[in-house]
CSV table of all heavy atoms in Angstrom, one decimal:
chain,number,residue,atom,x,y,z
A,1,GLU,N,57.5,-25.7,-14.6
A,1,GLU,CA,57.6,-26.7,-13.7
A,1,GLU,C,56.8,-26.4,-12.4
A,1,GLU,O,56.6,-27.3,-11.5
A,1,GLU,CB,59.0,-27.1,-13.3
A,1,GLU,CG,59.9,-26.0,-12.9
A,1,GLU,CD,60.7,-25.5,-14.1
A,1,GLU,OE1,60.2,-25.4,-15.2
A,1,GLU,OE2,61.9,-25.3,-13.8
A,2,ASP,N,56.3,-25.2,-12.3
A,2,ASP,CA,55.5,-24.8,-11.2
A,2,ASP,C,54.0,-25.2,-11.4
A,2,ASP,O,53.2,-25.1,-10.5
A,2,ASP,CB,55.5,-23.3,-10.9
A,2,ASP,CG,56.9,-22.8,-10.4
A,2,ASP,OD1,57.5,-23.5,-9.6
A,2,ASP,OD2,57.3,-21.7,-10.8
A,3,THR,N,53.7,-25.6,-12.6
A,3,THR,CA,52.4,-26.1,-12.9
A,3,THR,C,51.9,-27.2,-12.0
A,3,THR,O,52.6,-28.2,-12.0
A,3,THR,CB,52.3,-26.5,-14.4
A,3,THR,OG1,52.5,-25.4,-15.2
A,3,THR,CG2,50.9,-27.1,-14.7
A,4,ALA,N,50.8,-27.1,-11.4
A,4,ALA,CA,50.3,-28.1,-10.4
A,4,ALA,C,49.0,-27.6,-9.9
A,4,ALA,O,48.6,-26.5,-10.0
A,4,ALA,CB,51.3,-28.3,-9.3
A,5,VAL,N,48.3,-28.5,-9.2
A,5,VAL,CA,47.2,-28.2,-8.3
A,5,VAL,C,47.8,-27.8,-7.0
A,5,VAL,O,48.5,-28.5,-6.4
A,5,VAL,CB,46.2,-29.3,-8.2
A,5,VAL,CG1,45.1,-28.9,-7.2
A,5,VAL,CG2,45.6,-29.7,-9.5
A,6,TYR,N,47.5,-26.6,-6.5
A,6,TYR,CA,48.0,-26.1,-5.3
A,6,TYR,C,46.9,-26.2,-4.2
A,6,TYR,O,45.8,-25.8,-4.4
A,6,TYR,CB,48.4,-24.6,-5.4
A,6,TYR,CG,49.7,-24.4,-6.1
A,6,TYR,CD1,49.8,-24.7,-7.5
A,6,TYR,CD2,50.8,-24.1,-5.4
A,6,TYR,CE1,51.0,-24.6,-8.1
A,6,TYR,CE2,52.1,-23.9,-6.1
A,6,TYR,CZ,52.1,-24.2,-7.4
A,6,TYR,OH,53.3,-24.1,-8.1
A,7,TYR,N,47.3,-26.8,-3.1
A,7,TYR,CA,46.4,-27.1,-2.0
A,7,TYR,C,46.8,-26.3,-0.7
A,7,TYR,O,48.0,-26.1,-0.4
A,7,TYR,CB,46.5,-28.5,-1.6
A,7,TYR,CG,46.0,-29.5,-2.7
A,7,TYR,CD1,46.8,-30.0,-3.6
A,7,TYR,CD2,44.6,-29.8,-2.8
A,7,TYR,CE1,46.4,-30.9,-4.6
A,7,TYR,CE2,44.2,-30.6,-3.7
A,7,TYR,CZ,45.1,-31.2,-4.7
A,7,TYR,OH,44.6,-32.0,-5.6
A,8,CYS,N,45.8,-25.7,-0.1
A,8,CYS,CA,46.0,-25.1,1.2
A,8,CYS,C,45.8,-26.2,2.3
A,8,CYS,O,44.9,-27.1,2.2
A,8,CYS,CB,45.0,-24.0,1.4
A,8,CYS,SG,45.0,-23.1,3.0
A,9,ALA,N,46.5,-26.1,3.4
A,9,ALA,CA,46.5,-27.0,4.5
A,9,ALA,C,46.6,-26.4,5.8
A,9,ALA,O,47.2,-25.3,5.9
A,9,ALA,CB,47.5,-28.1,4.3
A,10,ALA,N,46.1,-27.0,6.9
A,10,ALA,CA,46.1,-26.5,8.2
A,10,ALA,C,46.4,-27.6,9.2
A,10,ALA,O,46.0,-28.7,9.0
A,10,ALA,CB,44.8,-25.8,8.5
A,11,VAL,N,47.0,-27.2,10.3
A,11,VAL,CA,47.2,-28.2,11.4
A,11,VAL,C,47.4,-27.4,12.7
A,11,VAL,O,48.0,-26.3,12.8
A,11,VAL,CB,48.5,-29.0,11.2
A,11,VAL,CG1,49.7,-28.2,11.1
A,11,VAL,CG2,48.6,-30.1,12.2
A,12,PRO,N,46.8,-27.9,13.8
A,12,PRO,CA,47.0,-27.2,15.1
A,12,PRO,C,48.5,-27.5,15.6
A,12,PRO,O,49.0,-28.5,15.4
A,12,PRO,CB,46.0,-27.9,16.0
A,12,PRO,CG,45.8,-29.3,15.4
A,12,PRO,CD,45.8,-29.0,13.9
A,13,THR,N,49.1,-26.4,16.2
A,13,THR,CA,50.4,-26.5,16.6
A,13,THR,C,50.6,-26.2,18.1
A,13,THR,O,49.6,-25.9,18.7
A,13,THR,CB,51.3,-25.6,15.8
A,13,THR,OG1,51.0,-24.2,16.0
A,13,THR,CG2,51.2,-25.9,14.3
A,14,GLN,N,51.8,-26.2,18.6
A,14,GLN,CA,52.1,-26.0,20.0
A,14,GLN,C,51.9,-24.5,20.4
A,14,GLN,O,51.6,-24.3,21.6
A,14,GLN,CB,53.5,-26.4,20.3
A,14,GLN,CG,53.9,-27.8,19.9
A,14,GLN,CD,53.0,-28.8,20.5
A,14,GLN,OE1,52.6,-28.7,21.7
A,14,GLN,NE2,52.7,-29.9,19.8
A,15,GLY,N,52.1,-23.6,19.5
A,15,GLY,CA,52.0,-22.2,19.9
A,15,GLY,C,51.9,-21.3,18.7
A,15,GLY,O,52.0,-21.8,17.5
A,16,SER,N,51.9,-20.0,18.9
A,16,SER,CA,51.7,-19.0,17.9
A,16,SER,C,52.8,-18.9,16.9
A,16,SER,O,52.7,-18.4,15.8
A,16,SER,CB,51.3,-17.7,18.4
A,16,SER,OG,52.4,-17.2,19.2
A,17,PHE,N,54.0,-19.4,17.3
A,17,PHE,CA,55.2,-19.3,16.5
A,17,PHE,C,55.6,-20.6,15.9
A,17,PHE,O,56.7,-20.7,15.2
A,17,PHE,CB,56.4,-18.7,17.3
A,17,PHE,CG,56.1,-17.3,17.9
A,17,PHE,CD1,55.7,-17.2,19.2
A,17,PHE,CD2,56.2,-16.2,17.1
A,17,PHE,CE1,55.4,-16.0,19.8
A,17,PHE,CE2,55.9,-15.0,17.7
A,17,PHE,CZ,55.5,-14.8,19.0
A,18,SER,N,54.9,-21.6,16.1
A,18,SER,CA,55.2,-23.0,15.7
A,18,SER,C,55.0,-23.2,14.2
A,18,SER,O,54.1,-22.7,13.6
A,18,SER,CB,54.4,-24.0,16.5
A,18,SER,OG,54.7,-24.0,17.8
A,19,LEU,N,56.0,-23.9,13.6
A,19,LEU,CA,55.9,-24.4,12.2
A,19,LEU,C,55.8,-25.9,12.2
A,19,LEU,O,56.7,-26.5,12.8
A,19,LEU,CB,57.1,-23.9,11.4
A,19,LEU,CG,57.0,-22.4,11.0
A,19,LEU,CD1,58.3,-22.0,10.3
A,19,LEU,CD2,55.9,-22.1,10.0
A,20,PRO,N,54.8,-26.5,11.6
A,20,PRO,CA,54.8,-27.9,11.5
A,20,PRO,C,55.7,-28.5,10.5
A,20,PRO,O,56.2,-27.8,9.6
A,20,PRO,CB,53.3,-28.2,11.2
A,20,PRO,CG,52.9,-27.0,10.3
A,20,PRO,CD,53.7,-25.8,10.9
A,21,ARG,N,55.9,-29.8,10.6
A,21,ARG,CA,56.6,-30.6,9.6
A,21,ARG,C,55.6,-30.8,8.5
A,21,ARG,O,54.4,-30.9,8.7
A,21,ARG,CB,57.2,-31.9,10.1
A,21,ARG,CG,58.2,-31.6,11.2
A,21,ARG,CD,58.5,-32.9,12.0
A,21,ARG,NE,59.5,-32.6,13.0
A,21,ARG,CZ,59.9,-33.5,13.9
A,21,ARG,NH1,59.3,-34.7,14.0
A,21,ARG,NH2,60.8,-33.2,14.8
A,22,PRO,N,56.1,-31.0,7.2
A,22,PRO,CA,55.1,-31.2,6.1
A,22,PRO,C,54.2,-32.3,6.2
A,22,PRO,O,53.0,-32.2,5.7
A,22,PRO,CB,56.1,-31.4,4.9
A,22,PRO,CG,57.3,-30.7,5.3
A,22,PRO,CD,57.5,-30.9,6.8
A,23,TYR,N,54.5,-33.4,6.9
A,23,TYR,CA,53.6,-34.5,7.1
A,23,TYR,C,52.6,-34.4,8.2
A,23,TYR,O,51.8,-35.3,8.3
A,23,TYR,CB,54.4,-35.8,7.3
A,23,TYR,CG,55.3,-35.8,8.6
A,23,TYR,CD1,54.7,-36.1,9.8
A,23,TYR,CD2,56.6,-35.5,8.5
A,23,TYR,CE1,55.4,-36.1,11.0
A,23,TYR,CE2,57.4,-35.5,9.7
A,23,TYR,CZ,56.8,-35.8,10.9
A,23,TYR,OH,57.5,-35.8,12.1
A,24,GLU,N,52.6,-33.3,8.9
A,24,GLU,CA,51.8,-33.1,10.1
A,24,GLU,C,50.4,-32.5,9.8
A,24,GLU,O,49.6,-32.5,10.7
A,24,GLU,CB,52.5,-32.3,11.2
A,24,GLU,CG,53.7,-33.0,11.8
A,24,GLU,CD,54.3,-32.2,12.8
A,24,GLU,OE1,54.5,-31.0,12.6
A,24,GLU,OE2,54.7,-32.7,13.9
A,25,TYR,N,50.1,-32.1,8.6
A,25,TYR,CA,48.9,-31.3,8.3
A,25,TYR,C,47.7,-32.2,8.4
A,25,TYR,O,47.7,-33.4,7.9
A,25,TYR,CB,49.0,-30.6,7.0
A,25,TYR,CG,50.0,-29.5,7.0
A,25,TYR,CD1,51.3,-29.7,6.8
A,25,TYR,CD2,49.5,-28.2,7.2
A,25,TYR,CE1,52.2,-28.6,6.9
A,25,TYR,CE2,50.4,-27.1,7.3
A,25,TYR,CZ,51.7,-27.3,7.1
A,25,TYR,OH,52.6,-26.3,7.2
A,26,ASP,N,46.6,-31.7,8.9
A,26,ASP,CA,45.4,-32.5,9.2
A,26,ASP,C,44.2,-32.1,8.2
A,26,ASP,O,43.4,-33.0,7.9
A,26,ASP,CB,44.9,-32.3,10.6
A,26,ASP,CG,45.9,-32.9,11.6
A,26,ASP,OD1,46.5,-34.0,11.3
A,26,ASP,OD2,46.0,-32.3,12.7
A,27,TYR,N,44.2,-30.9,7.8
A,27,TYR,CA,43.1,-30.4,7.0
A,27,TYR,C,43.5,-29.8,5.7
A,27,TYR,O,44.6,-29.2,5.6
A,27,TYR,CB,42.3,-29.3,7.8
A,27,TYR,CG,41.9,-29.8,9.2
A,27,TYR,CD1,42.6,-29.5,10.3
A,27,TYR,CD2,40.7,-30.5,9.3
A,27,TYR,CE1,42.2,-29.9,11.6
A,27,TYR,CE2,40.3,-31.0,10.6
A,27,TYR,CZ,41.1,-30.7,11.7
A,27,TYR,OH,40.7,-31.1,12.9
A,28,TRP,N,42.7,-30.0,4.7
A,28,TRP,CA,43.1,-29.7,3.3
A,28,TRP,C,41.9,-29.0,2.6
A,28,TRP,O,40.8,-29.3,2.8
A,28,TRP,CB,43.5,-31.0,2.6
A,28,TRP,CG,44.7,-31.6,3.2
A,28,TRP,CD1,44.6,-32.6,4.2
A,28,TRP,CD2,46.0,-31.5,2.9
A,28,TRP,NE1,45.9,-32.9,4.5
A,28,TRP,CE2,46.8,-32.3,3.7
A,28,TRP,CE3,46.7,-30.7,1.9
A,28,TRP,CZ2,48.2,-32.4,3.7
A,28,TRP,CZ3,48.1,-30.8,1.9
A,28,TRP,CH2,48.8,-31.6,2.7
A,29,GLY,N,42.3,-28.1,1.7
A,29,GLY,CA,41.3,-27.5,0.8
A,29,GLY,C,41.2,-28.4,-0.5
A,29,GLY,O,41.8,-29.5,-0.6
A,30,GLN,N,40.3,-27.9,-1.4
A,30,GLN,CA,40.0,-28.7,-2.6
A,30,GLN,C,41.1,-28.5,-3.7
A,30,GLN,O,41.1,-29.3,-4.6
A,30,GLN,CB,38.6,-28.3,-3.1
A,30,GLN,CG,38.6,-27.0,-4.0
A,30,GLN,CD,38.8,-25.7,-3.2
A,30,GLN,OE1,38.8,-25.7,-2.0
A,30,GLN,NE2,39.1,-24.7,-4.0
A,31,GLY,N,41.9,-27.5,-3.6
A,31,GLY,CA,42.9,-27.2,-4.5
A,31,GLY,C,42.5,-26.2,-5.6
A,31,GLY,O,41.4,-26.1,-5.9
A,32,THR,N,43.5,-25.6,-6.1
A,32,THR,CA,43.3,-24.6,-7.2
A,32,THR,C,44.4,-24.8,-8.3
A,32,THR,O,45.6,-25.0,-7.9
A,32,THR,CB,43.3,-23.2,-6.7
A,32,THR,OG1,42.9,-22.3,-7.8
A,32,THR,CG2,44.6,-22.7,-6.1
């Protein structure tokens, strides 16, 4: 069930320790 296309994502945050919510990501890779 782990079978899938896995995507890397990035988003600017408030600080070095911040974790975004899943819907906040702005940039995406092509997937593997």
Side-chain angles (χ1 to χ4, degrees):
E1 51 262 45
D2 293 320
T3 295
V5 176
Y6 283 71
Y7 296 92
C8 180
V11 63
T13 64
Q14 307 299 327
S16 62
F17 302 100
S18 298
L19 284 172
R21 295 167 181 170
Y23 61 83
E24 293 180 318
Y25 289 84
D26 295 323
Y27 305 99
W28 300 85
Q30 83 289 347
T32 185

